[in-house]
Amino acid sequence: MEYMTKARCMAIGAACLFLLLSGWFPERTACAEKGAVVEGSQLWPSKMEDWKITEGPIGYTPTTAYTYMNGAAELFIAYNMKGLTVVRYGHAKRPDIVAEIYTMASPEDAYGLFTFESDDPGGHIGQGSEFGGGLLRFWKGPYFVSVYGDGAGDDVEKATLAMGRHIASAITRTGKPPSILGLLPSGKSPLAKTHTWFLHSHILLNQRFFIAHANILNLGGDVEAALGRYGAGNQKMHFLLVSYPTGERANIAFDSFVKSYMPDAKGKSSVKTEDGKWTVAEKRGVYVAIAFDAPDEKYGSKIVETALAKVP
């Protein structure tokens, strides 16, 4: 019987939208691929409190992860997931606890995955965590970890947190948030920066700020994008900074964006939109910087220039 954790329930909405908009659904395979498991048994305890392993560890590849997640794997794959290990713990009288350990391509991807849907205040585990409703989520190094106890009770929560701490302490690698996030302008009131996201996928970008159904910025797994949200209510704008592997790819993406999103710019770097706000876009080296919904042309140009002045 498949166990649907809250972590995957949270990811279902994003992933299903991803699949619907891309028009593609994977063919489900009959069983999960069982092979090399993350890094070894030291990452997960054989027993925690009165919970013992009843199933697993089971390893999944990005391809076979769909069978475990009912289609929600796309969110994780969008952050360059390399593998997933699942361990289930059983108790004679209490609900099961399931630990999911996602191996990502880099610490930056683990951070991006964790923060993309971060809502609850943290449990101070790993390099960043949150705990609520029986679900513990955290990242450390190139790992994103979810531990979920499906039931109320202090003993379940205690064991869930203890399991998370054990896994976090067993992960010896650490990492840093993506450096591109540090290039986002700070902004001042009333347009202070309120949230940031690191991502690779145009579908996930559209979920935080819709640009276009088509991938007009040519985003992908080897492209880094930082999105910042500034202000609130009517006084709200978004700023996007994208780093490409080469200047040529940045040129192609910039031309594609201007042609599709700013056809009335007529060679200028800015255009006034129908709602009276401004879009400003510029390219420098491998970077493309875009201010969306700026209150005026001057402010949009300033925030773009502030970011591009920081780029290597």
Side-chain angles (χ1 to χ4, degrees):
M1 180 177 178
E2 183 174 291
Y3 187 82
M4 178 63 74
T5 70
K6 184 177 179 181
R8 282 185 285 133
C9 288
M10 292 172 65
I12 283 288
C16 287
L17 179 59
F18 192 116
L19 293 167
L20 285 170
L21 294 179
S22 62
W24 180 78
F25 284 84
E27 181 179 352
R28 292 179 60 113
T29 54
C31 60
E33 203 172 279
K34 299 179 182 179
V37 178
V38 189
E39 279 192 357
S41 59
Q42 75 277 8
L43 287 187
W44 48 85
S46 58
K47 178 182 178 181
M48 184 57 63
E49 306 292 338
D50 292 325
W51 278 260
K52 300 179 181 179
I53 293 179
T54 56
E55 183 180 2
I58 301 175
Y60 297 86
T61 68
T63 301
T64 60
Y66 287 103
T67 65
Y68 174 69
M69 298 187 196
N70 277 338
E74 200 64 45
L75 173 65
F76 300 89
I77 293 173
Y79 279 103
N80 295 322
M81 184 186 84
K82 297 175 66 177
L84 162 65
T85 299
V86 181
V87 188
R88 181 198 295 267
Y89 295 80
H91 187 288
K93 298 180 180 179
R94 305 296 286 138
D96 287 356
I97 296 175
V98 174
E100 301 173 343
I101 304 173
Y102 297 83
T103 307
M104 314 306 292
S106 68
E108 291 83 359
D109 288 318
Y111 171 90
L113 177 58
F114 169 73
T115 56
F116 187 75
E117 293 185 323
S118 181
D119 292 316
D120 299 329
H124 309 292
I125 294 173
Q127 292 187 261
S129 64
E130 63 179 8
F131 179 69
L135 171 65
L136 170 67
R137 302 168 67 250
F138 71 88
W139 76 282
K140 184 178 180 182
Y143 298 102
F144 169 77
V145 179
S146 164
V147 184
Y148 180 57
D150 188 16
D154 291 342
D155 56 342
V156 179
E157 290 192 357
K158 180 181 176 182
T160 298
L161 291 171
M163 197 170 297
R165 293 189 187 98
H166 177 100
I167 296 172
S169 64
I171 297 173
T172 57
R173 292 182 61 185
T174 59
K176 296 180 180 180
S179 59
I180 192 173
L181 291 173
L183 301 178
L184 293 178
S186 296
K188 296 181 180 180
S189 181
L191 289 176
K193 185 168 57 180
T194 59
H195 207 109
T196 61
W197 297 275
F198 171 77
L199 41 83
H200 305 286
S201 160
H202 79 286
I203 302 296
L204 297 185
L205 170 61
N206 282 341
Q207 291 187 44
R208 295 297 173 252
F209 181 75
F210 183 82
I211 294 179
H213 290 297
N215 186 12
I216 61 175
L217 279 165
N218 293 339
L219 299 184
D222 61 346
V223 177
E224 294 188 346
L227 177 67
R229 183 175 64 204
Y230 296 76
N234 294 329
Q235 288 290 321
K236 183 168 65 177
M237 65 166 288
H238 288 79
F239 177 78
L240 178 67
L241 183 65
V242 187
S243 175
Y244 295 88
T246 66
E248 180 182 6
R249 287 180 60 181
N251 288 336
I252 294 173
F254 181 77
D255 292 342
S256 170
F257 173 81
V258 171
K259 180 180 179 181
S260 301
Y261 198 91
M262 303 171 58
D264 298 328
K266 299 179 180 179
K268 294 180 60 179
S269 62
S270 59
V271 65
K272 191 174 185 178
T273 55
E274 294 179 355
D275 58 2
K277 296 183 179 181
W278 288 82
T279 297
V280 181
E282 291 189 20
K283 186 195 76 67
R284 185 169 300 168
V286 298
Y287 290 88
V288 172
I290 310 169
F292 296 95
D293 294 335
D296 55 63
E297 185 178 18
K298 182 178 180 181
Y299 187 89
S301 297
K302 182 179 179 180
I303 199 169
V304 166
E305 284 300 321
T306 299
L308 291 179
K310 297 180 181 180
V311 303

Coordinates of all heavy atoms in Angstrom, one line a residue, residues 121-184:
P121 N 7.4 27.9 10.5 CA 8.7 28.2 11.2 C 9.4 27.0 11.5 O 8.9 25.9 11.6 CB 8.2 29.0 12.4 CG 6.8 28.6 12.6 CD 6.3 28.4 11.2
G122 N 10.7 27.1 11.7 CA 11.6 25.9 11.6 C 11.8 25.1 12.9 O 11.5 25.6 14.0
G123 N 12.4 24.0 12.7 CA 12.8 23.1 13.8 C 14.2 23.1 14.1 O 14.7 22.3 14.8
H124 N 15.0 24.0 13.4 CA 16.4 24.2 13.7 C 17.2 22.9 13.5 O 18.0 22.5 14.3 CB 16.6 24.7 15.1 CG 15.8 25.9 15.4 ND1 16.0 27.1 14.8 CD2 14.8 26.1 16.2 CE1 15.2 28.0 15.3 NE2 14.4 27.4 16.1
I125 N 17.0 22.2 12.4 CA 17.6 21.0 12.0 C 18.3 21.2 10.7 O 17.7 21.7 9.8 CB 16.6 19.8 12.0 CG1 16.1 19.6 13.5 CG2 17.3 18.5 11.5 CD1 15.0 18.5 13.5
G126 N 19.5 20.6 10.5 CA 20.2 20.8 9.2 C 20.6 22.2 9.0 O 20.9 22.9 10.0
Q127 N 20.6 22.6 7.8 CA 21.0 24.0 7.5 C 19.8 24.9 7.3 O 19.9 26.1 7.0 CB 21.8 24.0 6.2 CG 23.2 23.4 6.4 CD 24.1 23.6 5.2 OE1 24.2 22.7 4.4 NE2 24.7 24.8 5.1
G128 N 18.6 24.4 7.4 CA 17.4 25.1 7.3 C 16.2 24.2 7.4 O 16.3 23.1 6.7
S129 N 15.2 24.4 8.2 CA 14.2 23.4 8.4 C 12.9 24.1 8.8 O 12.8 25.3 9.2 CB 14.6 22.4 9.5 OG 14.7 23.1 10.8
E130 N 11.8 23.3 8.7 CA 10.5 23.7 9.2 C 9.8 22.5 9.7 O 10.0 21.4 9.2 CB 9.7 24.5 8.2 CG 9.4 23.6 6.9 CD 8.5 24.4 5.9 OE1 8.4 25.6 6.1 OE2 8.0 23.8 5.0
F131 N 9.0 22.6 10.7 CA 8.2 21.5 11.3 C 6.8 22.0 11.6 O 6.6 23.0 12.3 CB 8.9 21.0 12.5 CG 8.2 19.8 13.2 CD1 8.2 18.6 12.5 CD2 7.6 20.0 14.4 CE1 7.5 17.5 13.1 CE2 6.9 18.9 15.0 CZ 6.9 17.7 14.3
G132 N 5.8 21.2 11.2 CA 4.4 21.5 11.5 C 3.5 20.4 10.9 O 3.8 19.8 9.9
G133 N 2.5 20.1 11.6 CA 1.5 19.1 11.2 C 2.1 17.7 11.1 O 1.7 16.9 10.3
G134 N 3.2 17.4 11.9 CA 3.8 16.1 11.8 C 4.9 16.0 10.8 O 5.5 14.9 10.6
L135 N 5.1 17.0 10.0 CA 6.0 17.0 8.8 C 7.3 17.8 9.2 O 7.2 19.0 9.5 CB 5.4 17.5 7.6 CG 6.3 17.7 6.4 CD1 6.9 16.4 5.9 CD2 5.6 18.4 5.2
L136 N 8.4 17.2 9.1 CA 9.7 17.9 9.2 C 10.3 17.9 7.8 O 10.5 16.9 7.2 CB 10.6 17.1 10.2 CG 12.1 17.6 10.2 CD1 12.2 19.0 10.8 CD2 12.9 16.6 11.0
R137 N 10.7 19.1 7.4 CA 11.5 19.3 6.1 C 12.8 20.0 6.4 O 12.7 21.0 7.2 CB 10.6 20.1 5.1 CG 9.3 19.5 4.8 CD 8.4 20.6 4.0 NE 9.0 20.9 2.7 CZ 9.5 22.0 2.3 NH1 9.7 23.0 3.2 NH2 10.0 22.2 1.1
F138 N 13.9 19.6 5.9 CA 15.1 20.3 6.0 C 16.1 20.0 4.9 O 15.9 19.1 4.1 CB 15.8 20.0 7.4 CG 16.4 18.7 7.5 CD1 17.7 18.4 7.1 CD2 15.7 17.6 8.1 CE1 18.3 17.2 7.3 CE2 16.2 16.3 8.2 CZ 17.6 16.1 7.8
W139 N 17.1 20.9 4.8 CA 18.1 20.6 3.8 C 19.5 20.7 4.5 O 19.7 21.4 5.5 CB 18.1 21.7 2.6 CG 18.6 23.0 3.0 CD1 17.9 24.0 3.7 CD2 19.9 23.6 2.6 NE1 18.7 25.1 3.8 CE2 19.9 24.9 3.1 CE3 21.0 23.1 1.9 CZ2 21.1 25.7 3.0 CZ3 22.1 23.9 1.7 CH2 22.1 25.2 2.3
K140 N 20.4 20.0 4.0 CA 21.8 20.0 4.4 C 22.7 19.5 3.3 O 22.5 18.4 2.8 CB 22.0 19.2 5.7 CG 23.4 19.4 6.3 CD 23.6 18.6 7.6 CE 25.1 18.8 8.1 NZ 25.3 18.0 9.3
G141 N 23.7 20.3 2.9 CA 24.5 19.9 1.8 C 23.7 19.6 0.6 O 22.8 20.4 0.3
P142 N 23.9 18.6 -0.1 CA 23.2 18.3 -1.3 C 21.9 17.5 -1.1 O 21.4 16.8 -2.0 CB 24.1 17.5 -2.2 CG 25.0 16.7 -1.2 CD 25.1 17.6 0.0
Y143 N 21.4 17.5 0.2 CA 20.3 16.6 0.5 C 19.1 17.5 1.0 O 19.2 18.5 1.7 CB 20.6 15.7 1.7 CG 21.7 14.7 1.3 CD1 23.0 14.9 1.8 CD2 21.4 13.6 0.5 CE1 24.0 14.0 1.4 CE2 22.4 12.7 0.2 CZ 23.7 12.9 0.6 OH 24.7 12.0 0.3
F144 N 17.9 17.0 0.5 CA 16.6 17.5 1.0 C 16.0 16.4 1.7 O 15.8 15.3 1.1 CB 15.7 18.1 -0.1 CG 14.3 18.4 0.3 CD1 14.0 19.5 1.0 CD2 13.3 17.5 0.0 CE1 12.7 19.7 1.5 CE2 12.0 17.7 0.4 CZ 11.7 18.8 1.1
V145 N 15.5 16.5 2.9 CA 15.0 15.4 3.7 C 13.6 15.8 4.2 O 13.3 16.9 4.7 CB 15.9 15.1 4.9 CG1 15.3 14.0 5.7 CG2 17.3 14.8 4.4
S146 N 12.7 14.8 4.1 CA 11.3 14.9 4.6 C 11.1 13.7 5.6 O 11.4 12.6 5.2 CB 10.3 14.8 3.5 OG 9.0 14.6 4.0
V147 N 10.7 14.0 6.8 CA 10.3 13.0 7.8 C 8.9 13.3 8.3 O 8.6 14.4 8.7 CB 11.3 12.9 9.0 CG1 10.9 11.8 9.9 CG2 12.7 12.8 8.5
Y148 N 8.0 12.3 8.1 CA 6.6 12.5 8.4 C 6.0 11.4 9.3 O 6.1 10.3 9.0 CB 5.8 12.6 7.1 CG 4.3 12.9 7.4 CD1 3.9 14.0 8.1 CD2 3.4 12.1 6.8 CE1 2.5 14.3 8.3 CE2 2.0 12.3 7.0 CZ 1.6 13.4 7.8 OH 0.3 13.6 8.0
G149 N 5.4 11.9 10.4 CA 4.7 10.9 11.3 C 3.2 11.2 11.1 O 2.7 12.2 11.4
D150 N 2.5 10.2 10.6 CA 1.1 10.3 10.2 C 0.2 10.1 11.4 O -0.5 9.1 11.5 CB 0.8 9.4 9.1 CG -0.6 9.6 8.5 OD1 -1.2 10.7 8.8 OD2 -1.2 8.8 7.8
G151 N 0.2 11.0 12.3 CA -0.7 10.9 13.5 C -0.3 11.9 14.6 O 0.8 12.3 14.7
A152 N -1.3 12.2 15.4 CA -1.1 13.2 16.4 C -0.5 12.5 17.6 O -0.6 11.3 17.8 CB -2.4 13.9 16.8
G153 N 0.2 13.3 18.4 CA 0.7 12.8 19.7 C 2.1 13.3 19.9 O 2.9 13.4 18.9
D154 N 2.5 13.6 21.1 CA 3.8 14.1 21.4 C 4.9 13.1 21.1 O 6.0 13.4 20.7 CB 3.9 14.5 22.9 CG 3.1 15.8 23.2 OD1 2.7 16.5 22.2 OD2 2.7 16.0 24.4
D155 N 4.5 11.8 21.3 CA 5.5 10.8 21.1 C 5.9 10.6 19.6 O 7.0 10.4 19.2 CB 5.0 9.4 21.6 CG 3.7 9.0 21.1 OD1 3.0 9.9 20.5 OD2 3.3 7.8 21.1
V156 N 4.9 10.8 18.7 CA 5.1 10.8 17.3 C 6.0 11.9 16.9 O 7.0 11.8 16.1 CB 3.8 10.7 16.5 CG1 4.1 10.7 15.0 CG2 3.0 9.5 16.9
E157 N 5.7 13.1 17.4 CA 6.4 14.3 17.0 C 7.9 14.2 17.6 O 8.8 14.6 16.9 CB 5.8 15.6 17.6 CG 4.5 15.9 16.9 CD 4.0 17.3 17.3 OE1 4.6 18.0 18.1 OE2 2.9 17.7 16.7
K158 N 8.0 13.7 18.8 CA 9.3 13.5 19.4 C 10.2 12.6 18.5 O 11.4 12.9 18.3 CB 9.2 13.0 20.8 CG 10.5 12.8 21.5 CD 10.3 12.3 22.9 CE 11.6 12.0 23.6 NZ 11.5 11.4 25.0
A159 N 9.6 11.5 18.1 CA 10.4 10.5 17.3 C 10.7 11.1 15.9 O 11.8 10.8 15.4 CB 9.6 9.2 17.2
T160 N 9.7 11.8 15.3 CA 10.0 12.4 14.0 C 11.1 13.4 14.1 O 12.0 13.4 13.2 CB 8.7 13.2 13.5 OG1 7.6 12.2 13.4 CG2 8.9 13.8 12.2
L161 N 11.1 14.3 15.1 CA 12.2 15.2 15.2 C 13.6 14.6 15.5 O 14.6 14.9 15.0 CB 11.9 16.3 16.3 CG 10.7 17.2 16.0 CD1 10.3 18.0 17.2 CD2 11.1 18.2 14.8
A162 N 13.5 13.5 16.4 CA 14.7 12.8 16.7 C 15.3 12.1 15.5 O 16.5 12.1 15.3 CB 14.4 11.8 17.8
M163 N 14.4 11.6 14.6 CA 14.9 10.9 13.4 C 15.5 11.9 12.5 O 16.6 11.7 11.9 CB 13.7 10.2 12.7 CG 14.1 9.2 11.7 SD 12.7 8.2 11.2 CE 12.2 7.4 12.7
G164 N 14.9 13.1 12.4 CA 15.5 14.1 11.5 C 16.8 14.6 12.0 O 17.8 14.8 11.2
R165 N 17.0 14.8 13.3 CA 18.3 15.2 13.9 C 19.3 14.1 13.6 O 20.5 14.4 13.3 CB 18.1 15.4 15.4 CG 17.3 16.6 15.7 CD 17.4 16.9 17.2 NE 16.4 18.0 17.6 CZ 15.2 17.7 18.1 NH1 14.8 16.5 18.4 NH2 14.4 18.7 18.4
H166 N 19.0 12.8 13.7 CA 19.9 11.8 13.4 C 20.4 11.8 12.0 O 21.6 11.8 11.7 CB 19.3 10.4 13.7 CG 20.2 9.3 13.4 ND1 20.9 8.6 14.4 CD2 20.5 8.7 12.2 CE1 21.6 7.6 13.8 NE2 21.4 7.7 12.5
I167 N 19.5 12.0 11.1 CA 19.8 12.0 9.7 C 20.7 13.2 9.4 O 21.7 13.2 8.7 CB 18.6 12.0 8.8 CG1 17.8 10.7 8.9 CG2 18.9 12.2 7.3 CD1 16.4 10.7 8.3
A168 N 20.3 14.4 9.9 CA 21.1 15.6 9.7 C 22.5 15.5 10.2 O 23.5 15.9 9.6 CB 20.4 16.8 10.4
S169 N 22.6 14.9 11.4 CA 24.0 14.8 12.0 C 24.8 13.8 11.2 O 26.1 13.8 11.2 CB 23.9 14.3 13.4 OG 23.3 13.0 13.6
A170 N 24.2 12.8 10.5 CA 24.9 11.8 9.8 C 25.3 12.3 8.4 O 26.2 11.7 7.8 CB 24.0 10.5 9.6
I171 N 24.7 13.4 7.9 CA 25.1 14.0 6.7 C 26.3 14.9 7.0 O 26.2 15.9 7.7 CB 24.0 14.8 6.1 CG1 22.8 13.9 5.7 CG2 24.5 15.6 4.8 CD1 21.6 14.7 5.3
T172 N 27.5 14.5 6.5 CA 28.7 15.3 6.8 C 28.9 16.5 5.9 O 29.7 17.4 6.3 CB 29.9 14.3 6.7 OG1 30.0 13.8 5.4 CG2 29.8 13.2 7.7
R173 N 28.3 16.5 4.7 CA 28.5 17.6 3.8 C 27.6 18.8 4.1 O 26.5 18.6 4.6 CB 28.3 17.1 2.3 CG 29.3 16.1 1.8 CD 29.0 15.8 0.4 NE 29.0 17.0 -0.5 CZ 28.7 16.9 -1.8 NH1 28.2 15.8 -2.3 NH2 28.8 18.1 -2.5
T174 N 28.1 19.9 3.9 CA 27.3 21.1 4.0 C 27.4 21.9 2.7 O 28.2 21.6 1.8 CB 27.8 22.0 5.2 OG1 29.2 22.4 5.0 CG2 27.6 21.3 6.5
G175 N 26.7 23.0 2.6 CA 26.7 23.8 1.4 C 26.3 25.2 1.8 O 26.0 25.6 2.9
K176 N 26.1 26.0 0.7 CA 25.7 27.4 0.9 C 24.5 27.7 0.0 O 24.3 27.0 -1.0 CB 26.8 28.4 0.6 CG 28.0 28.3 1.5 CD 29.0 29.3 1.1 CE 30.3 29.3 2.0 NZ 31.3 30.3 1.6
P177 N 23.6 28.6 0.3 CA 22.6 29.0 -0.6 C 23.2 29.5 -1.9 O 24.3 29.9 -1.9 CB 21.8 30.2 0.2 CG 22.2 29.9 1.6 CD 23.5 29.3 1.6
P178 N 22.4 29.5 -3.0 CA 22.9 29.9 -4.3 C 23.4 31.4 -4.2 O 22.8 32.3 -3.7 CB 21.7 29.8 -5.2 CG 20.8 28.8 -4.5 CD 21.0 29.0 -3.1
S179 N 24.6 31.6 -4.7 CA 25.3 32.9 -4.7 C 24.5 33.9 -5.5 O 24.5 35.1 -5.2 CB 26.7 32.8 -5.2 OG 26.8 32.3 -6.5
I180 N 23.7 33.5 -6.5 CA 23.0 34.4 -7.3 C 21.9 35.1 -6.5 O 21.6 36.3 -6.9 CB 22.3 33.7 -8.6 CG1 21.8 34.7 -9.6 CG2 21.2 32.7 -8.1 CD1 21.3 34.0 -10.9
L181 N 21.5 34.5 -5.4 CA 20.5 35.2 -4.6 C 21.0 36.5 -4.0 O 20.3 37.5 -3.7 CB 19.9 34.3 -3.5 CG 19.1 33.1 -4.0 CD1 18.8 32.2 -2.8 CD2 17.8 33.6 -4.6
G182 N 22.4 36.5 -3.7 CA 23.0 37.6 -3.1 C 23.1 38.8 -4.1 O 23.5 39.9 -3.7
L183 N 22.9 38.5 -5.4 CA 22.9 39.6 -6.4 C 21.6 40.4 -6.5 O 21.6 41.4 -7.2 CB 23.3 39.0 -7.8 CG 24.7 38.3 -7.8 CD1 24.9 37.7 -9.2 CD2 25.8 39.2 -7.4
L184 N 20.6 39.9 -5.9 CA 19.3 40.6 -6.0 C 19.3 41.9 -5.2 O 19.8 41.9 -4.1 CB 18.1 39.7 -5.4 CG 17.8 38.4 -6.2 CD1 16.7 37.6 -5.5 CD2 17.4 38.7 -7.6

